[in-house]
Amino acid sequence: MRRYVIKRIAQAVGVLWAAYTVSFLVLDYLPGDPVSAMAGAGADSGQVDPAQLAALRHQYGFDKPVLVQYAEALGRAVRGDFGDSVSTGRPVTSSLADALPQTLQLTGAALLLAVLLGGAVALLATYTTRRWLRQLLLSLPPLGVSVPTFWVGLLLVEVFSFRARLFPAFGNDGPRGLVLPAVTLAIPTGALVAQVLAKSLLTALDQAYVETARAKGAGRARIHLRHALRNASLPALTVVGLLAGQLIAGSVVVETVFSRDGLGRVTAAAVAAQDIPLVQGVVVFGALIFVSANLIVDLVYPVLDPRIVVHSRRKVSPV
């Protein structure tokens, strides 16, 4: 088990390093000059004093060779320092820390709703004996995945805010203001969870051990929840780990639609201002959320199926 945990942690660190390196190179080679944009000259740096531009480039380290910039930035990032925002002058970590609580509330609520709704749809679709109901429920996940998130958000605002006046349309207005954004973000995520879990449950219910349980007199509910669900939950758990990172990306659209303060709006503003340090901080934070969620999933796997650790040990053992 210890070897399994160490291997997963090493993989998580490798993913973080790769995300930082790729984001640094991509942002460095993008067209545009963040220093000129900060000085108010846009793409035309001739409108600003060249000495002022040179001083700003030196201040932010943009006048150094790329490899030197990368080495210095990576060394600071390991210590949790991503530099200062080009557009605001504040430390990147402070900007992220201010926006983080609202985004974590949104993504946490959306993930919880997605798991509950997706799991309920999958369980009911595979448990019911009514063919029409099963087909109806199994048709919902593809529909949820295909519908654009921004369209769902605008529709919910129109129905539940402007017409029914049940929830606020915009802003960070406490728990009531969290409902519509969380539902908007949870619909495509829950649809994927339902799709994967339903398929895994249908496959598990056709296995030989289910027939054995039936022969021993186990009821349908016991077979469904205790035998089939435990084995079928592994693929769905993998999807939840992958989607945890994607929820951060989805928050950009949702927070924009509902005018909520959070990492989404910070990211949109940073991209518009060509704020490279802030954009890179957001990218690395998203990667951290992604690898943390997947690391938790990897550590939960052996609890659900101890054979995973045994299989992993056999793969790394010498012949």
Side-chain angles (χ1 to χ4, degrees):
M1 182 66 182
R2 183 171 60 183
R3 181 181 296 178
Y4 175 83
V5 172
I6 293 174
K7 181 180 179 181
R8 293 298 183 269
I9 293 176
Q11 291 176 346
V13 173
V15 170
L16 278 176
W17 171 78
Y20 183 88
T21 302
V22 172
S23 64
F24 181 90
L25 295 176
V26 170
L27 291 172
D28 182 75
Y29 284 100
L30 284 178
D33 185 359
V35 173
S36 297
M38 179 180 61
D44 185 5
S45 60
Q47 299 178 12
V48 178
D49 184 6
Q52 181 184 0
L53 292 176
L56 288 173
R57 290 192 179 95
H58 178 74
Q59 176 184 345
Y60 287 95
F62 293 143
D63 58 339
K64 298 178 181 179
V66 175
L67 292 180
V68 175
Q69 292 184 43
Y70 171 76
E72 292 181 352
L74 181 60
R76 292 194 303 266
V78 171
R79 300 190 300 269
D81 180 10
F82 291 91
D84 296 332
S85 168
V86 174
S87 57
T88 65
R90 298 183 60 205
V92 171
T93 52
S94 299
S95 299
L96 296 181
D98 291 343
L100 181 59
Q102 296 295 335
T103 298
L104 287 183
Q105 288 180 9
L106 174 59
T107 55
L111 185 60
L112 179 62
L113 282 175
V115 171
L116 293 178
L117 295 177
V121 170
L123 286 172
L124 184 57
T126 54
Y127 184 80
T128 183
T129 56
R130 299 181 179 180
R131 184 178 180 85
W132 67 269
L133 181 58
R134 171 176 293 189
Q135 294 299 326
L136 175 63
L137 292 173
L138 291 179
S139 66
L140 294 179
L143 179 62
V145 173
S146 61
V147 175
T149 304
F150 73 90
W151 183 83
V152 174
L154 294 175
L155 181 63
L156 292 178
V157 168
E158 174 67 23
V159 174
F160 294 100
S161 295
F162 295 155
R163 296 190 179 183
R165 300 185 182 278
L166 296 176
F167 302 101
F170 308 109
N172 301 61
D173 188 17
R176 293 180 66 249
L178 189 64
V179 173
L180 296 185
V183 172
T184 302
L185 198 55
I187 286 177
T189 307
L192 286 173
V193 172
Q195 202 168 25
V196 173
L197 183 58
K199 184 176 181 179
S200 299
L201 277 170
L202 292 174
T203 302
L205 290 171
D206 288 334
Q207 300 300 313
Y209 66 84
V210 172
E211 297 297 330
T212 303
R214 289 196 184 101
K216 291 182 178 180
R220 290 185 66 240
R222 180 182 177 87
I223 291 174
H224 213 82
L225 298 176
R226 183 168 182 177
H227 296 280
L229 180 61
R230 181 172 182 177
N231 293 311
S233 61
L234 291 178
L237 190 61
T238 303
V239 170
V240 171
L242 295 173
L243 293 177
Q246 293 184 7
L247 286 174
I248 299 295
S251 68
V252 176
V253 176
V254 173
E255 289 178 354
T256 301
V257 171
F258 290 93
S259 298
R260 290 180 57 88
D261 295 327
L263 285 178
R265 298 191 72 182
V266 168
T267 304
V271 171
Q274 298 179 340
D275 194 338
I276 291 178
L278 187 53
V279 172
Q280 189 167 23
V282 172
V283 170
V284 174
F285 177 77
L288 178 62
I289 296 295
F290 176 82
V291 299
S292 299
N294 281 273
L295 181 60
I296 293 173
V297 169
D298 287 339
L299 297 181
V300 171
Y301 273 165
V303 178
L304 298 176
D305 190 352
R307 295 173 299 176
I308 293 177
V309 177
V310 176
H311 180 67
S312 177
R313 186 184 304 126
R314 288 175 179 173
K315 289 176 64 177
V316 299
S317 299
V319 177

